[in-house]
Amino acid sequence: MKKAINFLLFLLLPWLSMAQQFVANYDEAKVPAYTLPDPLIFNDGTPVTNKKEWEKRRGEIYHIFEKEVFGVVPEWKGSMKSVVVSQRKDALNGLAKRKEVRLELINGNRKIAVMVLIYLPQNSKDAPVFLSYNFDGNHTTTVEPDVLLPDSWVSNNKELGISDNRATEKGRGAAISRWPIKEIVTRGFGVATVYYGDVDPDFNDGFKNGVHEFFDAKRDSSSWGSIATWAWGLSRVMDYLETDKDINAQKVIVMGHSRLGKTSLWAGASDQRFAMTIANNSGSCGAAISRRKFGETVGRINTAFPHWFCDNFKKYNEKEELMPVDQHELLALIAPRPVYVASAAEDLWADPKGEFLSCVYASPVYQLLGLKGFPAKDMPALNTPVMGSIAYHIRPGKHDVTLYDWNCYMDFAALYFKMKK
Ligand code: GTR
């Protein structure tokens, strides 16, 4: 017994000591001086002067994010089948059409199912649709009693020690404050949501579960981490949406909160079919400038979540200044399509100022492409959204998604898609 405890301590100590040593900086005066990589300068030092050159430079930046941060997606040799498992015309008391679609990813005799829950306004053909992962199962986003419970890892895995039964009936509607579906549909938008654990369970198991089990490729230091896997999953949902006659696939907005905000940025950068990207409180390695080392740092995120990024990224633990890219360039990769970054005033862990500054520093790329860019140089006051090709707001309160956030996203989308008020 004593031996076993010692062995456990031996395994845990390096992690515990790193976790204990880490003290987040929340003092603006202690933010180090830094120089950001310039998205409009090629790796060889020559400047980018027009749209055509930007396309080439975009490839350089994308490649660095792939190889050094999120990891490279292996070749997919499988196939996907979609099955509509339920359909209602009278959802939300007649306000919406609803369907649940099971996407079956198949590779030989291996198969996983990804469930998509879709709410659309009755007259949906031209409605922009927010595609967004949820954290705990599709049934947590709605109180409707017949939406299916997840049958993936939340319910049948003990790795996270989940004990609150959120994958059961007890979780139904538990996240509705983050999913104002009625308000969204009333304003003429649709919502497609997927439980992210269907695609890849969020724990460090050496990439043996989720869609990873489909890819036989040997892993190396640039192989994809879970964020890239989740982003890939959003592209598979997009493959389906393109086939759904109730949906205009030209108007799909990819939106995510927190780790799933980081995911939406990488999905928006990787798949140009997404018309718009929204990152809610995405923080470290999402929208926030890493070189500021404010709140959560690269070292801290790689220690707490070693499976989110590729192994190469660990080289930059406590050495953010050596990163060949920074997060403003992740936003720039989304150009010319619009992108919205949002912060919460009490969410210092996510570095609101760093999230704002990324918008400022990504703006020259949009401007080079003849677009408005980001029309602010100073942080706006609370609840005062700034909207150009890049949009930003900071609201009071905690790390969360609120109706206020959604209303801003809908305002921005309504502007971009020229919807009537
Ligand atoms: C935190 C993590 C953040 C953010 C958040 C979340 O623990 O440090 O980067 O991703 O989780 O996703 O809720």
Side-chain angles (χ1 to χ4, degrees):
M1 182 66 184
K2 205 172 157 207
K3 252 188 175 167
I5 292 174
N6 282 342
F7 183 64
L8 205 71
L9 278 176
F10 166 78
L11 289 178
L12 284 176
L13 267 178
W15 192 89
L16 283 177
S17 61
M18 272 180 99
Q20 268 164 8
Q21 269 164 29
F22 180 76
V23 180
N25 174 43
Y26 293 124
D27 181 353
E28 205 50 49
K30 291 199 181 123
V31 169
Y34 59 86
T35 311
L36 289 175
D38 188 337
L40 292 179
I41 300 204
F42 281 105
N43 290 343
D44 70 5
T46 53
V48 177
T49 58
N50 57 44
K51 284 186 194 177
K52 213 166 155 228
E53 286 175 4
W54 164 250
E55 271 315 303
K56 210 167 150 221
R57 171 65 177 144
R58 185 185 183 282
E60 281 188 356
I61 298 173
Y62 186 83
H63 195 59
I64 302 174
F65 270 106
E66 243 189 329
K67 286 273 215 203
E68 299 289 304
V69 184
F70 296 106
V72 181
V73 179
E75 196 191 343
W76 162 239
K77 294 193 189 121
S79 60
M80 190 176 84
K81 200 171 114 193
S82 60
V83 184
V84 178
V85 293
S86 79
Q87 215 164 355
R88 294 191 68 136
K89 290 211 167 76
D90 59 347
L92 305 176
N93 295 323
L95 204 65
K97 296 186 285 193
R98 192 191 81 202
K99 57 181 138 184
E100 289 170 285
V101 183
R102 191 174 63 240
L103 304 181
E104 295 174 359
L105 299 165
I106 306 157
N107 193 6
N109 55 11
R110 289 168 285 181
K111 193 159 143 183
I112 63 164
V114 173
M115 272 302 229
V116 192
L117 169 64
I118 302 172
Y119 281 97
L120 296 171
Q122 291 297 352
N123 191 357
S124 68
K125 289 254 182 310
D126 216 29
V129 174
F130 290 96
L131 168 59
S132 186
Y133 276 126
N134 62 72
F135 279 86
D136 294 307
N138 294 348
H139 69 301
T140 64
T141 69
T142 176
V143 290
E144 294 203 299
D146 48 342
V147 167
L148 293 171
L149 300 176
D151 56 10
S152 49
W153 67 287
V154 168
S155 51
N156 54 26
N157 266 294
K158 300 273 178 284
E159 281 79 355
L160 291 187
I162 288 168
S163 57
D164 59 2
N165 296 324
R166 57 190 129 150
T168 68
E169 274 306 325
K170 288 198 174 140
R172 188 170 302 280
I176 48 166
S177 67
R178 288 184 174 181
W179 297 91
I181 296 176
K182 210 170 122 199
E183 285 80 355
I184 295 172
V185 171
T186 305
R187 277 193 66 176
F189 296 92
V191 181
T193 186
V194 175
Y195 168 50
Y196 81 136
D198 277 1
V199 177
D200 190 28
D202 190 2
F203 57 84
N204 186 21
D205 74 331
F207 301 103
K208 292 196 184 66
N209 55 20
V211 299
H212 288 285
E213 60 175 315
F214 282 143
F215 294 89
D216 303 313
K218 247 183 122 220
R219 289 187 64 86
D220 62 26
S221 59
S222 67
S223 294
W224 60 345
S226 293
I227 290 182
T229 318
W230 296 322
W232 182 89
L234 290 170
S235 289
R236 301 294 69 77
V237 180
M238 186 63 176
D239 293 344
Y240 162 74
L241 296 177
E242 286 187 318
T243 68
D244 186 325
K245 296 205 169 46
D246 289 328
I247 287 172
N248 179 351
Q250 308 291 317
K251 295 189 177 177
V252 177
I253 304 163
V254 62
M255 182 272 183
H257 168 60
S258 204
R259 70 196 67 184
L260 300 175
K262 309 179 210 301
T263 301
S264 69
L265 289 172
W266 186 232
S270 301
D271 190 334
Q272 305 203 27
R273 293 174 298 173
F274 293 120
M276 182 181 283
T277 302
I278 298 170
N280 191 83
N281 306 178
S282 61
S284 175
C285 309
I289 295 286
S290 299
R291 280 167 170 78
R292 284 173 43 80
K293 306 185 188 201
F294 190 101
E296 186 176 26
T297 61
V298 168
R300 169 60 207 223
I301 206 168
N302 276 331
T303 308
F305 307 102
H307 58 296
W308 282 3
F309 302 93
C310 70
D311 284 347
N312 279 340
F313 194 42
K314 302 191 170 69
K315 289 192 292 221
Y316 307 106
N317 289 357
E318 321 316 331
K319 295 194 185 92
E320 288 85 345
E321 58 287 353
L322 300 183
M323 280 169 61
V325 284
D326 212 313
Q327 302 313 109
H328 60 307
E329 292 177 298
L330 180 55
L331 301 190
L333 287 176
I334 295 165
R337 294 158 298 141
V339 55
Y340 200 129
V341 172
S343 308
E346 288 173 36
D347 186 18
L348 294 180
W349 183 243
D351 186 14
K353 186 164 180 198
E355 295 180 310
F356 165 78
L357 287 173
S358 270
C359 301
V360 174
Y361 298 129
S363 186
V365 172
Y366 282 82
Q367 286 165 304
L368 179 86
L369 300 178
L371 295 159
K372 195 166 175 191
F374 185 57
K377 288 213 164 54
D378 301 310
M379 282 279 271
L382 296 180
N383 293 345
T384 316
V386 177
M387 294 186 191
S389 337
I390 306 174
Y392 175 84
H393 74 247
I394 176 163
R395 60 156 172 82
K398 294 196 171 55
H399 188 71
D400 200 359
V401 195
T402 66
L403 180 58
Y404 175 80
D405 296 317
W406 277 106
N407 280 331
C408 293
Y409 304 147
M410 289 191 276
D411 289 347
F412 187 52
L415 264 180
Y416 180 69
F417 292 115
K418 302 192 172 55
M419 290 164 77
K420 288 195 203 94
K421 280 260 167 192

